[in-house]
DNA sequence: TCCGCTCCTGAAAACGTTTACTTTGGAAAC
DNA sequence: GTTTCCAAAGTAAACGTTTTCAGGAGCGGA
């Protein structure tokens, strides 16, 4: 591949002059400039980003570490981050940690080595981000937080979301509400469970630990947790699933058992999806402003990249309960 | 951030020796090696990927340009590519062209400038990839092809998929089958329409151009195309939608019109999704081996990166018709 | 004692840019 | 005609690695 030297010698000028033309420095006058542009065209020359990065000691790339590329929630997040990056002429280095601590660790190492300008991270483990933060790389956590890490974050008010959903079920008359929960090792799992428990306590209902089943964040985790709940005797009359894919899995378990929603069992999902409305009945769900979460995280990152000294900030966005047909009063008896 | 020089001077050795330790060169003996490792630890030194890239004139990154990050089909593709990249210790630079030619062009420029080791591209426009290919950057097209571009590709047998779906409808007795089609400027749109037409011709049915409505690849495109079809008099008795999001949009249009599936109208979607089976009735669909497509594309890319001289290859994978409850014989009259 | 060999380490070049500083040449001012 | 000044273009250093080549220490054998 042609380098700036080739262009310079072919055009009969010095590399400095070529560089000036590339960077639109107006000090290069027309005869030289025209000749250089022609030569560039002729050689199909493209300046090496590698060398530019080297020279400038910076890269116009931001890292994005998510935990499940196949989850539409994170996909919307990616979309938002991409949009903001594009506006700022940055590109996105995408890493899928797959809820795997080792993978997360490795990717964060990569981001650090490659000297990305900043990173947006959905943290899976407790300490993975620490090295980045210590190396003064701008970092924004999104969706989840980790305790004791001083970094910007954008998250949902998970407690409020789970509280509202559970309260809705209680108000409909449910007393045995199953939770298809997520691992409490991540903040999302912890907080949504806390919201559920808070609503039960607020209504003076007893917490029955058997009504809480934990699964991984995927379809399969929801399926298994829901199956366990459906085996209970007496069966819960309602289920709250704490993320979108787990909701899908829970619905599958319910449909396998030939139970009807909401007649036999009410269901609330977390994180509304377009197709929730198409199900029969359409699913009641806690909607997150997902795209907005992503946008804010990205903007926060760019703000931090511009000003390392600005105060650390955690933004908490509000969920909204969308009541549709999958929740109703429990059957008598 | 500390550099190799800092480590060298602090440990009282030359940069060469430090570099050797970093690269596990066994020629460095223990007193020096131990001192260097300690110093590295102490300074929190991390070798600069930027400088390494500069020196090696290469980057362990592959570019991935997709047209819609929010479409689960592409997401699965990303996942597959990521998995293969991870195995090979490469990372993925993700670009979302958003079906926008300008964005695609820009991203391909970025990939070229950044000297990525290779690229996997879902081409939106006709010529965007050409510069990359001309610059001898290994490129694999996926999902779509562009005519006259000599590059590896992995695609679905779209004609066969649409043919099978349409034939299934014809065999059920449908004679007026609407196509919720995609722009024929991209191969996927063209070929799926061709499969549809081929099936009609094979059964000696007349092609009615009013039964073909084209929309963009998203939910909204499917919604609008389906609405147009549902306005026809007489209404089609069946609809084939040519991608997953368009199927979602078509279902919304049908549900708005209060038509029942399959009693009033049969529906087939393209590209099966987990939630298709949860709809009432569960959707009949043409399933693509999406993950496999991504894996093959990535493997092909790595093969090409290793051997630029290997013959150019186009792999065509087979779809499968999954018959569920959304297709039935048309109502009498 | 000296040569030659091995083994470890150091010096320096190279990768492709950008940019501060220097040189050149021509025109204006005297 | 000489000096001065300015614009335009060139020279070279720097960014942080890796790697080639060279140097030197240690040691065994003659």
């Amino acid at each position: 591949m042609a380098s700036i030297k080739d262009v310079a010698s072919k055009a009969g000028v010095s590399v400095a002059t070529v560089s000036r033309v590339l960077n639109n420095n107006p000090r290069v006058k027309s005869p030289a400039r025209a000749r250089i542009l022609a030569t560039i065209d002729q050689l199909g020359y493209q300046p090496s980003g590698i060398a530019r990065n080297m020279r400038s000691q910076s890269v116009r790339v931001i890292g994005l570490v998510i935990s499940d590329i196949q989850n539409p929630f994170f996909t919307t997040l990616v979309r938002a981050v991409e949009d903001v990056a594009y506006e700022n002429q940055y590109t996105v280095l995408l890493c899928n940690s797959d809820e795997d601590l080792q993978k997360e660790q490795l990717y964060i190492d990569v981001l650090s080595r490659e000297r990305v300008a900043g990173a947006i991270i959905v943290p899976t483990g407790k300490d993975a981000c620490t090295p980045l933060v210590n190396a003064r790389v701008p970092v924004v956590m999104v969706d989840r937080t980790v305790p004791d890490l001083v970094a910007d974050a954008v998250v949902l008010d998970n407690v409020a979301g789970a509280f509202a959903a559970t309260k809705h079920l209680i108000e409909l008359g449910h007393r045995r509400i199953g939770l298809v929960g997520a691992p409490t090792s991540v903040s999302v799992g912890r907080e949504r469970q806390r919201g559920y428990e808070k609503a039960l306590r607020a209504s003076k209902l007893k917490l029955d630990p058997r009504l809480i089943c934990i699964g991984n964040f995927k379809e399969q985790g929801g399926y298994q947790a829901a199956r366990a709940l459906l085996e209970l005797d007496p069966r819960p009359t309602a289920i709250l699933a704490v993320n979108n894919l787990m909701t899908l899995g829970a619905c599958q378990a319910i449909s396998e058992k030939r139970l009807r929603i909401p007649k036999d069992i009410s269901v609330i999902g977390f994180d509304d999806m377009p197709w929730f409305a198409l199900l029969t009945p359409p699913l009641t769900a806690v909607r997150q402003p997902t795209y907005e979460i992503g946008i804010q995280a990205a903007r926060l990152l760019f703000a931090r990249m511009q000003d390392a000294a600005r105060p650390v900030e955690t933004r908490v966005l509000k969920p909204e309960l969308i009541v549709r047909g999958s929740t109703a009063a429990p059957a008598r008896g």
Side-chain angles (χ1 to χ4, degrees), chain A:
Chain A
M1 171 138 283
S3 84
I4 198 172
K5 264 190 206 159
D6 304 319
V7 176
S9 66
K10 188 135 196 271
V13 295
S14 74
V15 293
T17 308
V18 177
S19 174
R20 282 189 267 259
V21 169
L22 289 173
N23 294 286
N24 293 318
N25 184 323
R27 298 238 301 248
V28 180
K29 281 299 132 165
S30 217
R33 158 168 258 119
R35 212 168 55 239
I36 290 168
L37 287 173
T39 313
I40 287 174
D41 225 43
Q42 198 178 333
L43 293 180
Y45 165 74
Q46 259 199 321
S48 157
I50 298 181
R52 284 188 157 167
N53 297 339
M54 176 70 183
R55 163 73 203 197
S56 69
Q57 293 295 99
S58 70
V59 184
R60 289 187 82 82
V61 169
I62 62 175
L64 175 55
V65 183
I66 60 176
S67 63
D68 182 3
I69 179 77
Q70 295 191 85
N71 184 328
F73 171 79
F74 293 115
T75 283
T76 303
L77 230 48
V78 174
R79 169 72 205 234
V81 172
E82 242 260 338
D83 285 352
V84 176
Y86 181 80
E87 276 172 23
N88 291 275
Q89 285 150 269
Y90 275 67
T91 43
V92 174
L93 197 63
L94 179 73
C95 308
N96 181 37
S97 73
D98 207 15
E99 305 280 0
D100 173 339
L101 276 87
Q102 241 182 319
K103 255 184 160 176
E104 177 177 41
Q105 189 65 68
L106 184 138
Y107 276 131
I108 285 180
D109 274 6
V110 169
L111 297 185
S112 171
R113 272 205 306 273
E114 294 299 326
R115 304 288 198 265
V116 291
I120 296 177
I121 299 180
V122 178
T124 285
K126 233 178 32 227
D127 309 311
C129 310
T130 317
L132 265 188
V133 173
N134 288 345
R136 313 226 174 284
V137 178
V139 168
V140 175
M141 290 179 288
V142 68
D143 184 49
R144 309 171 180 176
T145 53
V146 301
D148 306 327
L149 182 60
V150 186
D152 299 306
V154 181
V155 294
L156 188 78
D157 189 339
N158 289 304
V159 174
F163 182 88
T166 311
K167 184 165 163 240
H168 169 65
L169 291 171
I170 295 172
E171 286 173 355
L172 283 171
H174 292 276
R175 291 299 170 264
R176 292 182 54 72
I177 301 171
L179 183 76
V180 171
T184 53
S185 55
V186 317
S187 61
V188 161
R190 261 193 322 272
E191 290 166 11
R192 291 182 187 170
Q193 179 169 337
R194 202 185 312 146
Y196 160 86
E197 290 169 347
K198 187 175 154 194
L200 293 185
R201 268 198 307 269
S203 302
K204 313 256 190 287
L205 290 177
K206 214 174 55 206
L207 291 182
D208 182 347
R210 286 171 308 168
L211 284 174
I212 298 180
C213 286
I214 306 289
N216 68 27
F217 282 103
K218 306 196 182 176
E219 205 175 319
Q220 190 215 9
Y223 174 81
Q224 286 172 347
R227 273 193 65 126
L229 286 174
L230 297 178
E231 293 299 328
L232 291 177
D233 185 20
R235 217 169 43 209
T237 61
I239 280 184
L240 167 61
V242 302
N243 96 346
N244 50 0
L245 296 184
M246 298 180 85
T247 306
L248 180 54
C251 286
Q252 275 162 357
I254 291 170
S255 131
E256 264 183 24
K257 279 263 180 191
R258 309 232 169 269
L259 297 174
R260 282 149 309 170
I261 304 173
K263 189 153 175 277
D264 300 321
I265 192 161
S266 286
V267 173
I268 297 190
F270 218 104
D271 191 20
D272 198 26
M273 297 279 112
W275 48 269
F276 275 13
L278 278 183
L279 296 180
T280 322
L283 270 187
T284 296
V286 179
R287 171 183 294 163
Q288 304 193 50
T290 314
Y291 186 76
E292 185 60 24
I293 291 175
I295 293 284
Q296 297 229 12
R299 291 209 199 296
L300 207 49
L301 180 67
F302 278 99
R304 162 107 13 240
M305 279 158 52
Q306 289 202 323
D307 175 12
R310 75 199 296 280
V312 172
E313 195 177 334
T314 294
R315 295 196 190 153
V316 180
L317 279 72
K318 291 290 171 199
E320 179 191 3
L321 182 67
I322 310 287
V323 177
R324 298 203 188 90
S326 69
T327 45
R332 292 295 183 91

